[in-house]
Amino acid sequence: MATSEADVDELIDDLIASYPLQSTDPVTFLGEQFDRGLAWLHFPVGAGGLGLSPADQLHALRRLLKAGAPSAGMRNIIGYGMVAPTIVSHGTDEQKSRFLRPLFTGEEIWCQLFSEPGAGSDVAGLAMRAERDGDEWILTGQKVWTTLAHMAAYGLIIARTNPDVPKHKGITAFLVDMHAPGVDVRPLFQVTGEAEFNECFFHEVRVPDSRRLGGVGEGWGVSITTLMNERVSIGGTVPPRNSGLIGEAVKIWKSRWADRTDAEAIAVRSDLMRAWVRNEVGRLTNWRASDLRRAGTPGPEGSVAKLAFAEENQRTSELCVNLMGSDGMLYGSNYPLLRPSESAMSGGDMRKAFLRMRANSIEGGTSEVMRNIIGERVLGLAGEPRNDKDVAWKDVPKS
Ligand SMILES: Cc1cc2nc3c(=O)[nH]c(=O)nc-3n(C[C@H](O)[C@H](O)[C@H](O)COP(=O)(O)OP(=O)(O)OC[C@H]3O[C@@H](n4cnc5c(N)ncnc54)[C@H](O)[C@@H]3O)c2cc1C
């Protein structure tokens, strides 16, 4: 049993020696990584982990990526960072052994079906119905903004199972087969011209009770686990120094500005340095937070990281297009209406990144909602008025 960083290093060395990266296909490598407890080191033994800390996980991830190992997170972004910790916290043993391994290898892509046309920030107000029919549940309703639903084998969905109690109390979570009869997935195109996300219609979709995640009426607690992990997964990563958007900004500056010494160039260099320092502070803050975090659901520090990430990405991608001068206005797309591949959510062209980063302050909870959470849960300020807290969901006025 590994207990120290040195033990973890030994396990990783052995994995790479037994399954050389050049000659092993990614699914086999990731499967073996899972079986050896090196998928999520902070998960329990048998669930892809070794019962270690999130800091150990970060260390292992860094070493594996540096060695060129395939990234389970890139292959299955929602499954890896949000669904897996939710299944570990709330799933039955059968659900853990059925779903976690193929999720990690990327053989089964996952999506998260929370938002609805009338329930985004106030997701607890959702209207998707789940009605019990013997050993099954029947799902009817609509979800929206569902990232990767078009590629997903399964989705984590929350639905209303009891409209007669206050909104947070009548929700139940399920693991739904995205290819079941009655599921209809339609693309929604974004400002980049690509459709990462979808609207999903559920018409009398049957889900066995064995695919219920957590207790009946306990779906709000389940979804909090997902949302807290989502915030850390979006905003709490620790990329290598000088990588990502700030790395791109430095590259553009070197190719277009570094030789100039006029007043404009000096001002531009100051802008770049300020951005570099802000990005580095964010990176180191996330590093410290992940070192301090114990295993289990992350706390409100995830909201701090998510807010900072959204704001900084928007500022830094704007700096990139500014550094490009008039070329920054020429996004090389004529709105192609593409379905992106798995890697489409990565940056690439900075003009595309600039457009894509607009979504950062909406996805995973808006920046306004993050500020509310920080105000209430970190600073202890007075909460927002919540008039519907004790009212049965069916009696809450809806727009
Ligand atoms: C790229 C992208 C990917 C997404 N992927 C998924 C996904 O995979 N699965 C999924 O379920 N959802 C997904 N979403 C949806 C996302 O979670 C919601 O868009 C988000 O929670 C906001 O909800 P809304 O769009 O309904 O806006 P609304 O909640 O209607 O908000 C509208 C505006 O009002 C503000 N506002 C709302 N309530 C408050 C308040 N209490 N205090 C202050 N201001 C407030 C908001 O900040 C916002 O500016 C995705 C969104 C995007 C952009």
Side-chain angles (χ1 to χ4, degrees), residues 78 111-117 119-122 144-147 190 196-197 230 356 359 362-369 372 384:
I78 310 272
C111 64
Q112 171 205 359
L113 299 136
F114 285 14
S115 304
E116 296 184 4
S121 300
D122 180 25
V144 74
W145 320 127
T146 318
T147 303
Q190 290 152 267
E196 285 167 26
F197 55 25
E230 179 173 27
R356 176 60 182 82
I362 305 172
E363 59 196 319
T366 68
S367 289
E368 290 77 17
V369 168
N372 284 349
E384 290 194 315

PDB file of all heavy atoms in Angstrom, residues 78 111-117 119-122 144-147 190 196-197 230 356 359 362-369 372 384, ligand 1:
ATOM      1  N   ILE A  78     -16.365  15.864 -18.435  1.00  0.00           N
ATOM      2  CA  ILE A  78     -17.432  15.935 -17.424  1.00  0.00           C
ATOM      3  C   ILE A  78     -17.396  14.678 -16.544  1.00  0.00           C
ATOM      4  O   ILE A  78     -17.535  14.740 -15.325  1.00  0.00           O
ATOM      5  CB  ILE A  78     -18.815  16.031 -18.106  1.00  0.00           C
ATOM      6  CG1 ILE A  78     -18.839  17.136 -19.171  1.00  0.00           C
ATOM      7  CG2 ILE A  78     -19.944  16.154 -17.093  1.00  0.00           C
ATOM      8  CD1 ILE A  78     -19.184  18.488 -18.728  1.00  0.00           C
ATOM      9  N   CYS A 111     -22.187  12.987 -19.643  1.00  0.00           N
ATOM     10  CA  CYS A 111     -22.616  14.387 -19.617  1.00  0.00           C
ATOM     11  C   CYS A 111     -23.386  14.651 -18.322  1.00  0.00           C
ATOM     12  O   CYS A 111     -23.741  13.714 -17.595  1.00  0.00           O
ATOM     13  CB  CYS A 111     -23.454  14.730 -20.850  1.00  0.00           C
ATOM     14  SG  CYS A 111     -25.016  13.845 -20.962  1.00  0.00           S
ATOM     15  N   GLN A 112     -23.608  15.932 -18.074  1.00  0.00           N
ATOM     16  CA  GLN A 112     -24.264  16.364 -16.826  1.00  0.00           C
ATOM     17  C   GLN A 112     -25.549  17.102 -17.212  1.00  0.00           C
ATOM     18  O   GLN A 112     -25.485  18.149 -17.851  1.00  0.00           O
ATOM     19  CB  GLN A 112     -23.312  17.288 -16.079  1.00  0.00           C
ATOM     20  CG  GLN A 112     -23.879  17.995 -14.885  1.00  0.00           C
ATOM     21  CD  GLN A 112     -23.098  19.290 -14.596  1.00  0.00           C
ATOM     22  OE1 GLN A 112     -22.143  19.618 -15.276  1.00  0.00           O
ATOM     23  NE2 GLN A 112     -23.550  20.039 -13.613  1.00  0.00           N
ATOM     24  N   LEU A 113     -26.691  16.531 -16.823  1.00  0.00           N
ATOM     25  CA  LEU A 113     -27.991  17.088 -17.242  1.00  0.00           C
ATOM     26  C   LEU A 113     -28.657  17.758 -16.046  1.00  0.00           C
ATOM     27  O   LEU A 113     -29.522  17.174 -15.389  1.00  0.00           O
ATOM     28  CB  LEU A 113     -28.864  15.964 -17.795  1.00  0.00           C
ATOM     29  CG  LEU A 113     -28.302  15.229 -19.024  1.00  0.00           C
ATOM     30  CD1 LEU A 113     -28.469  13.732 -18.878  1.00  0.00           C
ATOM     31  CD2 LEU A 113     -28.952  15.713 -20.299  1.00  0.00           C
ATOM     32  N   PHE A 114     -28.242  18.995 -15.754  1.00  0.00           N
ATOM     33  CA  PHE A 114     -28.818  19.743 -14.645  1.00  0.00           C
ATOM     34  C   PHE A 114     -29.686  20.889 -15.164  1.00  0.00           C
ATOM     35  O   PHE A 114     -30.858  20.997 -14.835  1.00  0.00           O
ATOM     36  CB  PHE A 114     -27.723  20.312 -13.736  1.00  0.00           C
ATOM     37  CG  PHE A 114     -27.045  19.297 -12.835  1.00  0.00           C
ATOM     38  CD1 PHE A 114     -27.202  17.933 -13.038  1.00  0.00           C
ATOM     39  CD2 PHE A 114     -26.245  19.714 -11.779  1.00  0.00           C
ATOM     40  CE1 PHE A 114     -26.572  17.003 -12.209  1.00  0.00           C
ATOM     41  CE2 PHE A 114     -25.626  18.796 -10.935  1.00  0.00           C
ATOM     42  CZ  PHE A 114     -25.781  17.440 -11.161  1.00  0.00           C
ATOM     43  N   SER A 115     -29.077  21.795 -15.967  1.00  0.00           N
ATOM     44  CA  SER A 115     -29.761  23.039 -16.367  1.00  0.00           C
ATOM     45  C   SER A 115     -30.987  22.756 -17.235  1.00  0.00           C
ATOM     46  O   SER A 115     -30.992  21.827 -18.049  1.00  0.00           O
ATOM     47  CB  SER A 115     -28.812  23.930 -17.170  1.00  0.00           C
ATOM     48  OG  SER A 115     -27.651  24.181 -16.429  1.00  0.00           O
ATOM     49  N   GLU A 116     -31.988  23.606 -17.053  1.00  0.00           N
ATOM     50  CA  GLU A 116     -33.211  23.545 -17.864  1.00  0.00           C
ATOM     51  C   GLU A 116     -33.512  24.961 -18.347  1.00  0.00           C
ATOM     52  O   GLU A 116     -32.989  25.940 -17.792  1.00  0.00           O
ATOM     53  CB  GLU A 116     -34.378  23.030 -17.016  1.00  0.00           C
ATOM     54  CG  GLU A 116     -34.155  21.609 -16.536  1.00  0.00           C
ATOM     55  CD  GLU A 116     -35.352  21.051 -15.763  1.00  0.00           C
ATOM     56  OE1 GLU A 116     -36.401  21.748 -15.662  1.00  0.00           O
ATOM     57  OE2 GLU A 116     -35.216  19.924 -15.261  1.00  0.00           O
ATOM     58  N   PRO A 117     -34.398  25.095 -19.337  1.00  0.00           N
ATOM     59  CA  PRO A 117     -34.712  26.447 -19.815  1.00  0.00           C
ATOM     60  C   PRO A 117     -35.181  27.365 -18.680  1.00  0.00           C
ATOM     61  O   PRO A 117     -34.876  28.550 -18.670  1.00  0.00           O
ATOM     62  CB  PRO A 117     -35.817  26.206 -20.844  1.00  0.00           C
ATOM     63  CG  PRO A 117     -35.586  24.811 -21.317  1.00  0.00           C
ATOM     64  CD  PRO A 117     -35.050  24.054 -20.147  1.00  0.00           C
ATOM     65  N   ALA A 119     -34.450  26.796 -15.348  1.00  0.00           N
ATOM     66  CA  ALA A 119     -33.702  26.523 -14.109  1.00  0.00           C
ATOM     67  C   ALA A 119     -32.216  26.396 -14.411  1.00  0.00           C
ATOM     68  O   ALA A 119     -31.747  25.333 -14.825  1.00  0.00           O
ATOM     69  CB  ALA A 119     -34.214  25.228 -13.456  1.00  0.00           C
ATOM     70  N   GLY A 120     -31.474  27.518 -14.257  1.00  0.00           N
ATOM     71  CA  GLY A 120     -30.027  27.513 -14.486  1.00  0.00           C
ATOM     72  C   GLY A 120     -29.336  27.826 -13.169  1.00  0.00           C
ATOM     73  O   GLY A 120     -28.963  26.931 -12.412  1.00  0.00           O
ATOM     74  N   SER A 121     -29.229  29.131 -12.843  1.00  0.00           N
ATOM     75  CA  SER A 121     -28.653  29.495 -11.536  1.00  0.00           C
ATOM     76  C   SER A 121     -29.508  28.895 -10.426  1.00  0.00           C
ATOM     77  O   SER A 121     -28.986  28.408  -9.423  1.00  0.00           O
ATOM     78  CB  SER A 121     -28.619  31.015 -11.392  1.00  0.00           C
ATOM     79  OG  SER A 121     -27.831  31.583 -12.403  1.00  0.00           O
ATOM     80  N   ASP A 122     -30.815  28.933 -10.623  1.00  0.00           N
ATOM     81  CA  ASP A 122     -31.724  28.341  -9.628  1.00  0.00           C
ATOM     82  C   ASP A 122     -32.064  26.917 -10.065  1.00  0.00           C
ATOM     83  O   ASP A 122     -33.225  26.587 -10.320  1.00  0.00           O
ATOM     84  CB  ASP A 122     -32.992  29.209  -9.540  1.00  0.00           C
ATOM     85  CG  ASP A 122     -33.978  28.649  -8.538  1.00  0.00           C
ATOM     86  OD1 ASP A 122     -33.545  27.930  -7.609  1.00  0.00           O
ATOM     87  OD2 ASP A 122     -35.193  28.913  -8.698  1.00  0.00           O
ATOM     88  N   VAL A 144     -30.973  21.584 -20.946  1.00  0.00           N
ATOM     89  CA  VAL A 144     -30.363  22.474 -21.940  1.00  0.00           C
ATOM     90  C   VAL A 144     -28.912  22.775 -21.578  1.00  0.00           C
ATOM     91  O   VAL A 144     -28.525  22.579 -20.414  1.00  0.00           O
ATOM     92  CB  VAL A 144     -31.218  23.768 -22.076  1.00  0.00           C
ATOM     93  CG1 VAL A 144     -31.039  24.692 -20.889  1.00  0.00           C
ATOM     94  CG2 VAL A 144     -30.912  24.509 -23.382  1.00  0.00           C
ATOM     95  N   TRP A 145     -28.158  23.215 -22.570  1.00  0.00           N
ATOM     96  CA  TRP A 145     -26.722  23.519 -22.426  1.00  0.00           C
ATOM     97  C   TRP A 145     -25.938  22.274 -22.020  1.00  0.00           C
ATOM     98  O   TRP A 145     -24.982  22.370 -21.263  1.00  0.00           O
ATOM     99  CB  TRP A 145     -26.442  24.624 -21.398  1.00  0.00           C
ATOM    100  CG  TRP A 145     -27.367  25.787 -21.367  1.00  0.00           C
ATOM    101  CD1 TRP A 145     -28.019  26.270 -20.277  1.00  0.00           C
ATOM    102  CD2 TRP A 145     -27.713  26.653 -22.453  1.00  0.00           C
ATOM    103  NE1 TRP A 145     -28.772  27.369 -20.622  1.00  0.00           N
ATOM    104  CE2 TRP A 145     -28.600  27.620 -21.963  1.00  0.00           C
ATOM    105  CE3 TRP A 145     -27.367  26.689 -23.810  1.00  0.00           C
ATOM    106  CZ2 TRP A 145     -29.149  28.611 -22.758  1.00  0.00           C
ATOM    107  CZ3 TRP A 145     -27.922  27.682 -24.605  1.00  0.00           C
ATOM    108  CH2 TRP A 145     -28.794  28.625 -24.074  1.00  0.00           C
ATOM    109  N   THR A 146     -26.333  21.098 -22.498  1.00  0.00           N
ATOM    110  CA  THR A 146     -25.708  19.867 -22.012  1.00  0.00           C
ATOM    111  C   THR A 146     -24.444  19.576 -22.826  1.00  0.00           C
ATOM    112  O   THR A 146     -24.514  19.058 -23.947  1.00  0.00           O
ATOM    113  CB  THR A 146     -26.695  18.688 -22.111  1.00  0.00           C
ATOM    114  OG1 THR A 146     -27.977  19.136 -21.674  1.00  0.00           O
ATOM    115  CG2 THR A 146     -26.219  17.539 -21.264  1.00  0.00           C
ATOM    116  N   THR A 147     -23.304  19.888 -22.229  1.00  0.00           N
ATOM    117  CA  THR A 147     -22.012  19.700 -22.890  1.00  0.00           C
ATOM    118  C   THR A 147     -21.801  18.225 -23.212  1.00  0.00           C
ATOM    119  O   THR A 147     -22.007  17.358 -22.348  1.00  0.00           O
ATOM    120  CB  THR A 147     -20.887  20.212 -21.965  1.00  0.00           C
ATOM    121  OG1 THR A 147     -21.157  21.581 -21.671  1.00  0.00           O
ATOM    122  CG2 THR A 147     -19.519  20.082 -22.618  1.00  0.00           C
ATOM    123  N   GLN A 190     -22.584  27.762 -30.654  1.00  0.00           N
ATOM    124  CA  GLN A 190     -22.044  28.854 -29.830  1.00  0.00           C
ATOM    125  C   GLN A 190     -21.414  29.923 -30.704  1.00  0.00           C
ATOM    126  O   GLN A 190     -21.311  29.752 -31.921  1.00  0.00           O
ATOM    127  CB  GLN A 190     -21.029  28.256 -28.856  1.00  0.00           C
ATOM    128  CG  GLN A 190     -21.695  27.404 -27.807  1.00  0.00           C
ATOM    129  CD  GLN A 190     -20.793  26.315 -27.283  1.00  0.00           C
ATOM    130  OE1 GLN A 190     -20.793  25.197 -27.761  1.00  0.00           O
ATOM    131  NE2 GLN A 190     -20.010  26.651 -26.275  1.00  0.00           N
ATOM    132  N   GLU A 196     -20.641  22.628 -28.810  1.00  0.00           N
ATOM    133  CA  GLU A 196     -20.165  21.733 -27.748  1.00  0.00           C
ATOM    134  C   GLU A 196     -21.345  21.206 -26.964  1.00  0.00           C
ATOM    135  O   GLU A 196     -21.286  20.171 -26.359  1.00  0.00           O
ATOM    136  CB  GLU A 196     -19.341  22.521 -26.725  1.00  0.00           C
ATOM    137  CG  GLU A 196     -17.987  22.915 -27.121  1.00  0.00           C
ATOM    138  CD  GLU A 196     -17.443  23.945 -26.130  1.00  0.00           C
ATOM    139  OE1 GLU A 196     -17.874  23.961 -24.963  1.00  0.00           O
ATOM    140  OE2 GLU A 196     -16.594  24.736 -26.536  1.00  0.00           O
ATOM    141  N   PHE A 197     -22.375  22.035 -26.897  1.00  0.00           N
ATOM    142  CA  PHE A 197     -23.488  21.638 -26.032  1.00  0.00           C
ATOM    143  C   PHE A 197     -24.783  21.458 -26.810  1.00  0.00           C
ATOM    144  O   PHE A 197     -24.829  21.672 -28.024  1.00  0.00           O
ATOM    145  CB  PHE A 197     -23.631  22.542 -24.818  1.00  0.00           C
ATOM    146  CG  PHE A 197     -23.758  24.026 -25.081  1.00  0.00           C
ATOM    147  CD1 PHE A 197     -24.250  24.519 -26.269  1.00  0.00           C
ATOM    148  CD2 PHE A 197     -23.399  24.936 -24.090  1.00  0.00           C
ATOM    149  CE1 PHE A 197     -24.400  25.885 -26.474  1.00  0.00           C
ATOM    150  CE2 PHE A 197     -23.533  26.301 -24.288  1.00  0.00           C
ATOM    151  CZ  PHE A 197     -24.032  26.767 -25.486  1.00  0.00           C
ATOM    152  N   GLU A 230     -17.323  20.429  -9.881  1.00  0.00           N
ATOM    153  CA  GLU A 230     -17.281  21.117 -11.175  1.00  0.00           C
ATOM    154  C   GLU A 230     -16.468  22.406 -11.056  1.00  0.00           C
ATOM    155  O   GLU A 230     -15.647  22.726 -11.918  1.00  0.00           O
ATOM    156  CB  GLU A 230     -18.705  21.438 -11.637  1.00  0.00           C
ATOM    157  CG  GLU A 230     -18.757  22.187 -12.970  1.00  0.00           C
ATOM    158  CD  GLU A 230     -20.173  22.361 -13.509  1.00  0.00           C
ATOM    159  OE1 GLU A 230     -21.128  22.383 -12.697  1.00  0.00           O
ATOM    160  OE2 GLU A 230     -20.330  22.472 -14.721  1.00  0.00           O
ATOM    161  N   ARG A 356     -14.523  31.823 -27.060  1.00  0.00           N
ATOM    162  CA  ARG A 356     -14.941  30.715 -26.194  1.00  0.00           C
ATOM    163  C   ARG A 356     -14.940  31.119 -24.717  1.00  0.00           C
ATOM    164  O   ARG A 356     -15.808  30.713 -23.950  1.00  0.00           O
ATOM    165  CB  ARG A 356     -14.021  29.510 -26.429  1.00  0.00           C
ATOM    166  CG  ARG A 356     -14.281  28.310 -25.521  1.00  0.00           C
ATOM    167  CD  ARG A 356     -15.693  27.788 -25.691  1.00  0.00           C
ATOM    168  NE  ARG A 356     -16.020  26.668 -24.818  1.00  0.00           N
ATOM    169  CZ  ARG A 356     -16.386  26.796 -23.551  1.00  0.00           C
ATOM    170  NH1 ARG A 356     -16.438  27.991 -22.979  1.00  0.00           N
ATOM    171  NH2 ARG A 356     -16.712  25.732 -22.835  1.00  0.00           N
ATOM    172  N   ALA A 359     -17.859  32.277 -22.370  1.00  0.00           N
ATOM    173  CA  ALA A 359     -18.732  31.335 -21.646  1.00  0.00           C
ATOM    174  C   ALA A 359     -18.221  31.022 -20.251  1.00  0.00           C
ATOM    175  O   ALA A 359     -18.963  30.506 -19.413  1.00  0.00           O
ATOM    176  CB  ALA A 359     -18.877  30.040 -22.448  1.00  0.00           C
ATOM    177  N   ILE A 362     -20.210  31.951 -17.289  1.00  0.00           N
ATOM    178  CA  ILE A 362     -21.576  31.416 -17.218  1.00  0.00           C
ATOM    179  C   ILE A 362     -21.529  29.937 -16.818  1.00  0.00           C
ATOM    180  O   ILE A 362     -22.212  29.502 -15.885  1.00  0.00           O
ATOM    181  CB  ILE A 362     -22.291  31.550 -18.587  1.00  0.00           C
ATOM    182  CG1 ILE A 362     -22.276  32.996 -19.077  1.00  0.00           C
ATOM    183  CG2 ILE A 362     -23.726  31.025 -18.490  1.00  0.00           C
ATOM    184  CD1 ILE A 362     -22.778  33.166 -20.505  1.00  0.00           C
ATOM    185  N   GLU A 363     -20.704  29.141 -17.553  1.00  0.00           N
ATOM    186  CA  GLU A 363     -20.698  27.683 -17.334  1.00  0.00           C
ATOM    187  C   GLU A 363     -20.218  27.349 -15.918  1.00  0.00           C
ATOM    188  O   GLU A 363     -19.381  28.050 -15.363  1.00  0.00           O
ATOM    189  CB  GLU A 363     -19.807  27.000 -18.372  1.00  0.00           C
ATOM    190  CG  GLU A 363     -18.378  27.458 -18.353  1.00  0.00           C
ATOM    191  CD  GLU A 363     -17.615  27.078 -19.617  1.00  0.00           C
ATOM    192  OE1 GLU A 363     -17.802  25.961 -20.108  1.00  0.00           O
ATOM    193  OE2 GLU A 363     -16.829  27.905 -20.113  1.00  0.00           O
ATOM    194  N   GLY A 364     -20.789  26.297 -15.358  1.00  0.00           N
ATOM    195  CA  GLY A 364     -20.392  25.876 -14.007  1.00  0.00           C
ATOM    196  C   GLY A 364     -20.847  26.839 -12.927  1.00  0.00           C
ATOM    197  O   GLY A 364     -20.331  26.835 -11.815  1.00  0.00           O
ATOM    198  N   GLY A 365     -21.836  27.687 -13.236  1.00  0.00           N
ATOM    199  CA  GLY A 365     -22.312  28.701 -12.281  1.00  0.00           C
ATOM    200  C   GLY A 365     -21.770  30.058 -12.680  1.00  0.00           C
ATOM    201  O   GLY A 365     -20.558  30.198 -12.939  1.00  0.00           O
ATOM    202  N   THR A 366     -22.628  31.068 -12.752  1.00  0.00           N
ATOM    203  CA  THR A 366     -22.196  32.378 -13.241  1.00  0.00           C
ATOM    204  C   THR A 366     -21.317  33.082 -12.192  1.00  0.00           C
ATOM    205  O   THR A 366     -21.330  32.738 -11.008  1.00  0.00           O
ATOM    206  CB  THR A 366     -23.406  33.291 -13.553  1.00  0.00           C
ATOM    207  OG1 THR A 366     -24.041  33.619 -12.323  1.00  0.00           O
ATOM    208  CG2 THR A 366     -24.388  32.628 -14.490  1.00  0.00           C
ATOM    209  N   SER A 367     -20.606  34.106 -12.670  1.00  0.00           N
ATOM    210  CA  SER A 367     -19.739  34.844 -11.743  1.00  0.00           C
ATOM    211  C   SER A 367     -20.565  35.532 -10.656  1.00  0.00           C
ATOM    212  O   SER A 367     -20.115  35.653  -9.513  1.00  0.00           O
ATOM    213  CB  SER A 367     -18.899  35.872 -12.508  1.00  0.00           C
ATOM    214  OG  SER A 367     -17.927  35.195 -13.267  1.00  0.00           O
ATOM    215  N   GLU A 368     -21.781  35.980 -10.995  1.00  0.00           N
ATOM    216  CA  GLU A 368     -22.633  36.618  -9.974  1.00  0.00           C
ATOM    217  C   GLU A 368     -22.973  35.594  -8.885  1.00  0.00           C
ATOM    218  O   GLU A 368     -22.920  35.900  -7.687  1.00  0.00           O
ATOM    219  CB  GLU A 368     -23.935  37.150 -10.599  1.00  0.00           C
ATOM    220  CG  GLU A 368     -23.758  38.356 -11.510  1.00  0.00           C
ATOM    221  CD  GLU A 368     -23.200  37.997 -12.885  1.00  0.00           C
ATOM    222  OE1 GLU A 368     -23.253  36.805 -13.266  1.00  0.00           O
ATOM    223  OE2 GLU A 368     -22.693  38.893 -13.578  1.00  0.00           O
ATOM    224  N   VAL A 369     -23.288  34.373  -9.312  1.00  0.00           N
ATOM    225  CA  VAL A 369     -23.635  33.336  -8.326  1.00  0.00           C
ATOM    226  C   VAL A 369     -22.401  32.962  -7.497  1.00  0.00           C
ATOM    227  O   VAL A 369     -22.499  32.751  -6.279  1.00  0.00           O
ATOM    228  CB  VAL A 369     -24.276  32.121  -9.046  1.00  0.00           C
ATOM    229  CG1 VAL A 369     -24.385  30.928  -8.122  1.00  0.00           C
ATOM    230  CG2 VAL A 369     -25.651  32.515  -9.591  1.00  0.00           C
ATOM    231  N   ASN A 372     -22.110  35.477  -4.874  1.00  0.00           N
ATOM    232  CA  ASN A 372     -23.079  35.232  -3.796  1.00  0.00           C
ATOM    233  C   ASN A 372     -22.565  34.160  -2.830  1.00  0.00           C
ATOM    234  O   ASN A 372     -22.656  34.304  -1.608  1.00  0.00           O
ATOM    235  CB  ASN A 372     -24.420  34.753  -4.377  1.00  0.00           C
ATOM    236  CG  ASN A 372     -25.221  35.886  -5.003  1.00  0.00           C
ATOM    237  OD1 ASN A 372     -24.890  37.059  -4.828  1.00  0.00           O
ATOM    238  ND2 ASN A 372     -26.264  35.545  -5.747  1.00  0.00           N
ATOM    239  N   GLU A 384     -29.181  35.993   0.499  1.00  0.00           N
ATOM    240  CA  GLU A 384     -30.231  36.591  -0.326  1.00  0.00           C
ATOM    241  C   GLU A 384     -31.591  36.230   0.270  1.00  0.00           C
ATOM    242  O   GLU A 384     -31.725  35.169   0.884  1.00  0.00           O
ATOM    243  CB  GLU A 384     -30.209  35.963  -1.715  1.00  0.00           C
ATOM    244  CG  GLU A 384     -29.043  36.309  -2.558  1.00  0.00           C
ATOM    245  CD  GLU A 384     -29.329  35.899  -3.996  1.00  0.00           C
ATOM    246  OE1 GLU A 384     -29.823  34.789  -4.228  1.00  0.00           O
ATOM    247  OE2 GLU A 384     -29.070  36.728  -4.878  1.00  0.00           O
TER     248      GLU A 384
HETATM  249  C1  LIG B   1     -20.418  26.625 -22.356  1.00  0.00           C
HETATM  250  C2  LIG B   1     -21.457  26.176 -21.372  1.00  0.00           C
HETATM  251  C3  LIG B   1     -21.526  24.827 -21.023  1.00  0.00           C
HETATM  252  C4  LIG B   1     -22.517  24.409 -20.133  1.00  0.00           C
HETATM  253  N1  LIG B   1     -22.584  23.057 -19.843  1.00  0.00           N
HETATM  254  C5  LIG B   1     -23.567  22.602 -19.034  1.00  0.00           C
HETATM  255  C6  LIG B   1     -23.715  21.198 -18.789  1.00  0.00           C
HETATM  256  O1  LIG B   1     -22.948  20.381 -19.296  1.00  0.00           O
HETATM  257  N2  LIG B   1     -24.737  20.783 -18.003  1.00  0.00           N
HETATM  258  C7  LIG B   1     -25.610  21.659 -17.432  1.00  0.00           C
HETATM  259  O2  LIG B   1     -26.494  21.214 -16.704  1.00  0.00           O
HETATM  260  N3  LIG B   1     -25.507  22.998 -17.639  1.00  0.00           N
HETATM  261  C8  LIG B   1     -24.513  23.487 -18.431  1.00  0.00           C
HETATM  262  N4  LIG B   1     -24.393  24.843 -18.672  1.00  0.00           N
HETATM  263  C9  LIG B   1     -25.396  25.734 -18.122  1.00  0.00           C
HETATM  264  C10 LIG B   1     -24.905  26.648 -17.003  1.00  0.00           C
HETATM  265  O3  LIG B   1     -24.719  25.927 -15.823  1.00  0.00           O
HETATM  266  C11 LIG B   1     -25.968  27.743 -16.855  1.00  0.00           C
HETATM  267  O4  LIG B   1     -25.967  28.496 -18.068  1.00  0.00           O
HETATM  268  C12 LIG B   1     -25.684  28.650 -15.690  1.00  0.00           C
HETATM  269  O5  LIG B   1     -25.847  27.971 -14.469  1.00  0.00           O
HETATM  270  C13 LIG B   1     -26.606  29.919 -15.698  1.00  0.00           C
HETATM  271  O6  LIG B   1     -27.928  29.570 -15.850  1.00  0.00           O
HETATM  272  P1  LIG B   1     -28.832  30.281 -16.962  1.00  0.00           P
HETATM  273  O7  LIG B   1     -28.104  30.202 -18.265  1.00  0.00           O
HETATM  274  O8  LIG B   1     -30.191  29.678 -16.886  1.00  0.00           O
HETATM  275  O9  LIG B   1     -28.882  31.805 -16.544  1.00  0.00           O
HETATM  276  P2  LIG B   1     -29.813  32.452 -15.416  1.00  0.00           P
HETATM  277  O10 LIG B   1     -29.757  31.646 -14.185  1.00  0.00           O
HETATM  278  O11 LIG B   1     -31.158  32.711 -16.009  1.00  0.00           O
HETATM  279  O12 LIG B   1     -29.071  33.823 -15.161  1.00  0.00           O
HETATM  280  C14 LIG B   1     -29.235  34.977 -15.984  1.00  0.00           C
HETATM  281  C15 LIG B   1     -28.434  36.113 -15.372  1.00  0.00           C
HETATM  282  O13 LIG B   1     -28.961  36.414 -14.066  1.00  0.00           O
HETATM  283  C16 LIG B   1     -27.932  36.350 -13.083  1.00  0.00           C
HETATM  284  N5  LIG B   1     -28.458  35.789 -11.834  1.00  0.00           N
HETATM  285  C17 LIG B   1     -29.249  34.709 -11.700  1.00  0.00           C
HETATM  286  N6  LIG B   1     -29.507  34.475 -10.398  1.00  0.00           N
HETATM  287  C18 LIG B   1     -28.839  35.420  -9.700  1.00  0.00           C
HETATM  288  C19 LIG B   1     -28.710  35.704  -8.307  1.00  0.00           C
HETATM  289  N7  LIG B   1     -29.305  34.954  -7.382  1.00  0.00           N
HETATM  290  N8  LIG B   1     -27.926  36.766  -7.947  1.00  0.00           N
HETATM  291  C20 LIG B   1     -27.299  37.537  -8.883  1.00  0.00           C
HETATM  292  N9  LIG B   1     -27.412  37.312 -10.220  1.00  0.00           N
HETATM  293  C21 LIG B   1     -28.165  36.267 -10.618  1.00  0.00           C
HETATM  294  C22 LIG B   1     -26.890  35.403 -13.684  1.00  0.00           C
HETATM  295  O14 LIG B   1     -25.609  35.648 -13.120  1.00  0.00           O
HETATM  296  C23 LIG B   1     -26.966  35.769 -15.160  1.00  0.00           C
HETATM  297  O15 LIG B   1     -26.178  36.915 -15.424  1.00  0.00           O
HETATM  298  C24 LIG B   1     -23.426  25.319 -19.554  1.00  0.00           C
HETATM  299  C25 LIG B   1     -23.337  26.677 -19.905  1.00  0.00           C
HETATM  300  C26 LIG B   1     -22.372  27.099 -20.801  1.00  0.00           C
HETATM  301  C27 LIG B   1     -22.312  28.557 -21.165  1.00  0.00           C
END
